[in-house]
Amino acid sequence: MHVQHLGGRHRAHLRHAVKVLVTGSAGFIGGTVAAMLAAEGHEVVGVDLMLPQAHGSASPPHGTTLVDVRDPGPWTELLAGVDAVCHQAAVVGAGVRVADFPEYATHNDLGTTVLLAVMHEAGVHRLVLASSMVVYGEGRYACAEHGPQEPRPRARAALEAGDFDNHCGTCGRILVWDLVGEDARLDPRSAYAASKVAQEHYASAWARQTGGSVVALRYHNVYGPGMPRDTPYSGVAAMFRSSLERGEPPQVFEDGRQMRDFVHVDDVARANLAALDASTPSAGGQAAAYNVCSGSPVSIGEVAALVARGSGRGPAPEVTGGFRLGDVRHVVASPERAAAELGFRAAVAPEVGLPAFATAPLRG
Ligand SMILES: NC(=O)c1ccc[n+]([C@@H]2O[C@H](COP(=O)([O-])OP(=O)(O)OC[C@H]3O[C@@H](n4cnc5c(N)ncnc54)[C@H](O)[C@@H]3O)[C@@H](O)[C@H]2O)c1
């Protein structure tokens, strides 16, 4: 089981055996969380709707019951004796098609509110919520001379001219990236991002009204075994890998120097276990939010090179100078709050995890 690989020696042990309901347990991350909890001796109730866009016509895996989180019906039995809910179920992706907006609203917004209502009804007071770095919208930047800046979206003309950086509004210098902390302004820029912010806000309202506790984990770019194959919504690491498998060079946009944080799915699962164990997670009725990241920023060009190295074949990555309007230049997270308050630090460095990902089993 892939939970044992790479970071297996850095497991996060919960203090007591618990019973946890994991939503989205057939998914990439939910499946890894459920497997790690079970491997640690905890009782897991897995539920998943098996959305066709995520699973085709596959049946639920062992340990997963076919449940739609939007359905208020089946929960009395499912939540009996449950200590905490780990909510991973969601419609994911870039949310590029306006026609998909209702999908995000119904599965993510409505689904979360139904879950919160049935948890309250059943007397379950602890929630760990899968949130995302997309809630920030932008990274954090500074000018060497004029300090922190919030750049405007990059103009098409500048990108077409190969000018991919953000510039200081005063002197025009290239802005350098800085670490995004959890108190950064929320600026959701897609239906998906709006739904992740909404999930956090509903969970905070629930915590305030019920005295329950919520930890929102803002995952950065998650990769690892079980990741969906090359779909329009799958991560860039999976796309690089698929290009290599076809014998084509991975296509790196811009100049390849855009910075991100790639975190291994085993570390994401460990962060969930740490969050389930947190003693005072939501002071003042607010969801306590944490970046879940490797803490080792990498450029997209480096990601392509690391995956190519691990594949042991295929042509070298190609930096194309292409771009997607609306992409941000850099977004890199601070891991410090999760380390200080949850005791979570990633164990799998991108230099180790990304080459291994080149040959890991994928889904679909
Ligand atoms: N993969 C990443 O890089 C990443 C980054 C940030 C946040 N996240 C968040 O992590 C969570 C898990 O994402 P993932 O990458 O494992 O995606 P995934 O598509 O592999 O898993 C999501 C699962 O949720 C299920 N689901 C969707 N709607 C449902 C519903 N109404 N009822 C029951 N099940 C439903 C799907 O069938 C799927 O199995 C999501 O909340 C996502 O927003 C993922």
Side-chain angles (χ1 to χ4, degrees):
M1 187 87 233
H2 60 259
V3 171
Q4 303 286 338
H5 295 172
L6 300 167
R9 60 200 181 281
H10 294 274
R11 286 173 168 191
H13 292 278
L14 266 68
R15 279 189 284 266
H16 311 286
V18 288
K19 182 171 177 182
V20 182
L21 184 135
V22 179
T23 71
S25 58
F28 167 44
I29 297 169
T32 310
V33 173
M36 190 176 281
L37 280 165
E40 298 268 317
H42 304 289
E43 202 178 330
V44 178
V45 180
V47 298
D48 200 297
L49 178 59
M50 302 301 288
L51 274 183
Q53 64 260 45
H55 299 285
S57 56
S59 307
H62 178 72
T64 291
T65 305
L66 195 64
V67 171
D68 185 340
V69 293
R70 298 169 299 173
D71 178 0
W75 298 98
T76 312
E77 210 174 304
L78 290 166
L79 286 172
V82 163
D83 300 295
V85 170
C86 190
H87 183 32
Q88 308 290 325
V91 170
V92 302
V96 284
R97 285 178 1 129
V98 172
D100 292 340
F101 280 26
E103 282 285 288
Y104 291 101
T106 184
H107 291 284
N108 301 1
D109 299 41
L110 176 62
T112 301
T113 59
V114 171
L115 192 64
L116 293 168
V118 296
M119 284 173 66
H120 181 53
E121 188 70 24
V124 180
H125 304 297
R126 292 179 73 90
L127 175 71
V128 175
L129 173 69
S131 187
S132 169
M133 62 180 243
V134 295
V135 300
Y136 299 125
E138 251 301 355
R140 195 165 160 216
Y141 304 86
C143 168
E145 177 76 18
H146 298 100
Q149 310 245 339
E150 283 185 15
R152 297 161 63 84
R154 295 176 295 168
R156 179 189 285 278
L159 294 165
E160 278 173 354
D163 177 15
F164 301 115
D165 278 301
N166 294 299
H167 294 270
C168 176
T170 308
C171 68
R173 273 193 184 83
I174 290 175
L175 299 180
V176 294
W177 58 270
D178 204 348
L179 299 176
V180 178
E182 290 81 351
D183 295 331
R185 188 165 63 92
L186 301 184
D187 183 13
R189 295 180 175 188
S190 67
Y192 171 61
S195 76
K196 298 314 282 183
V197 171
Q199 288 184 314
E200 286 197 20
H201 286 168
Y202 282 122
S204 286
W206 173 87
R208 210 171 286 120
Q209 282 178 239
T210 66
S213 76
V214 181
V215 177
L217 298 176
R218 295 177 179 161
Y219 309 155
H220 284 253
N221 299 273
V222 187
Y223 70 94
M227 191 171 180
R229 204 169 266 284
D230 205 8
T231 72
Y233 297 136
S234 69
V236 70
M239 292 189 186
F240 289 158
R241 185 190 141 133
S242 299
S243 300
L244 288 159
E245 282 172 354
R246 291 192 301 268
E248 294 165 10
Q251 303 289 295
V252 179
F253 281 178
E254 303 190 13
D255 56 4
R257 296 202 192 105
Q258 54 277 39
M259 298 299 289
R260 296 291 186 275
D261 188 301
F262 278 73
V263 58
H264 194 276
V265 68
D266 287 355
D267 279 326
V268 174
R270 269 189 288 276
N272 274 271
L273 266 68
L276 285 164
D277 209 22
S279 47
T280 52
S282 50
Q286 280 288 330
Y290 298 95
N291 286 324
V292 173
C293 57
S294 73
S296 303
V298 281
S299 71
I300 294 296
E302 285 171 308
V303 171
L306 287 165
V307 177
R309 193 173 84 202
S311 78
R313 61 190 164 134
E318 214 170 77
V319 177
T320 65
F323 61 88
R324 292 186 308 190
L325 210 58
D327 275 359
V328 301
R329 177 66 170 160
H330 308 297
V331 51
V332 179
S334 167
E336 293 311 323
R337 187 182 285 180
E341 296 180 17
L342 299 180
F344 167 74
R345 269 199 199 277
V348 185
E351 293 73 24
V352 177
L354 284 166
F357 173 66
T359 52
L362 297 185
R363 181 180 89 206

